[in-house]
Amino acid sequence: MSRKIAIVEDDAAIRENYVSAFSRYGYECEGFRDRASALAGFLNRLPDLVIIDIGLGSEPEGGFELCRELRGRSRSLPIIFLTARDSDLDVISGLRLGADDYLTKDISLQHLLARVVALFRRIEALRSPDPESSQVIQGDLKLALERMAALWKDAPVPLTVTEFWMVHTLARFPGHVKSRDQLMDDANVVVDASTITSHIKRIRKKFVAVDPSFDWIDTVHGAGYRWRAGPE
């Protein structure tokens, strides 16, 4: 069965261009012009991945609201912002809302396709893990790959696909510093350093929400991040 991708874009020409392009690559692709039509189309079943513009018709930030609503329905649904807005504030806002990636419209179609393929690859890896590494336990942290579930002190931590991979990458080797480039490679994403920083901030915030004393992710200035090693 082909993957289903939804394009939520208010410019009809751009929308149809992306729908046509992804269809040529074998995806089942459907376009929506605004937030209301997208939510109506997703009523019975969510797509496998959503690509959203921020400004949608009469709603300057309709894409942000749509992302918030979709993330409320599914924390594992891959969401990509594809927009002309490139300010740091917009990027941070999009990632804080739980988007897995934030791209600007000057990106080439081949580059966009590569990012989509990477997201699907990560989901497949989570659903078909190596039996010997299907679970990671580090102190109070438990990661179950098959269910993409993260627990801290037995309380669920609602991580997105990208966040889950980053925590998995850090926690497998506690005490080892992972550079931003290594996090990108291991998590199979291609983003800039500030985006990695935003992801880490959001990951910390989610753990702190379930445990205010959480401080197990260290920033190693000039080097990257590490999951703190527990006592011997």
Side-chain angles (χ1 to χ4, degrees):
M1 180 183 295
S2 63
R3 301 277 194 179
K4 184 174 183 179
I5 296 175
I7 308 288
V8 188
E9 163 66 60
D10 61 347
D11 186 301
I14 294 175
R15 183 173 67 245
E16 291 308 314
N17 183 49
Y18 284 126
V19 168
S20 175
F22 278 105
S23 298
R24 287 199 304 274
Y25 281 96
Y27 293 102
E28 180 184 348
C29 195
E30 186 173 9
F32 299 92
R33 69 179 183 278
D34 55 23
R35 183 168 63 95
S37 62
L39 288 174
F42 304 157
L43 193 58
N44 294 322
R45 180 196 165 193
L46 288 173
D48 297 307
L49 183 146
V50 185
I51 298 173
I52 309 174
D53 193 3
I54 294 176
L56 296 174
S58 61
E59 296 184 286
E61 299 196 343
F64 284 153
E65 183 58 33
L66 178 59
C67 179
R68 183 182 292 109
E69 293 179 61
L70 293 176
R71 193 52 81 212
R73 289 180 59 182
S74 171
R75 64 183 175 82
S76 60
L77 172 68
I79 298 174
I80 297 175
F81 277 112
L82 181 61
T83 175
R85 291 164 57 167
D86 61 357
S87 72
D88 288 344
L89 179 60
D90 285 325
V91 174
I92 292 170
S93 296
L95 294 176
R96 280 180 175 170
L97 288 170
D100 292 284
D101 212 340
Y102 189 105
L103 307 171
T104 53
K105 288 181 177 176
D106 55 357
I107 190 174
S108 70
L109 177 60
Q110 293 302 321
H111 196 163
L112 173 61
L113 181 64
R115 304 287 273 264
V116 168
V117 170
L119 264 175
F120 281 140
R121 189 183 302 130
R122 272 184 284 157
I123 292 171
E124 282 303 312
L126 289 169
R127 289 174 178 171
S128 304
D130 180 340
E132 295 184 358
S133 59
S134 62
Q135 184 170 250
V136 173
I137 299 177
Q138 292 293 348
D140 292 319
L141 175 70
K142 296 178 183 175
L143 299 175
L145 272 67
E146 292 182 0
R147 296 181 289 112
M148 210 189 80
L151 298 177
W152 178 256
K153 295 183 177 179
D154 294 326
V157 183
L159 302 177
T160 66
V161 175
T162 300
E163 293 164 356
F164 186 91
W165 263 119
M166 289 187 175
V167 172
H168 177 263
T169 299
L170 291 169
R172 277 191 306 160
F173 303 103
H176 292 204
V177 177
K178 291 285 186 180
S179 69
R180 289 174 174 82
D181 286 342
Q182 287 174 313
L183 282 173
M184 281 191 282
D185 289 342
D186 291 351
N188 206 3
V189 295
V190 183
V191 294
D192 57 32
S194 63
T195 302
I196 293 291
T197 301
S198 296
H199 279 301
I200 292 292
K201 285 181 179 177
R202 198 171 61 252
I203 289 169
R204 284 183 174 129
K205 186 176 180 180
K206 289 184 176 181
F207 275 93
V208 168
V210 300
D211 177 8
S213 66
F214 176 86
D215 64 347
W216 285 81
I217 300 177
D218 289 335
T219 298
V220 182
H221 295 289
Y225 302 94
R226 70 182 166 211
W227 190 270
R228 185 174 297 175
E232 297 293 338

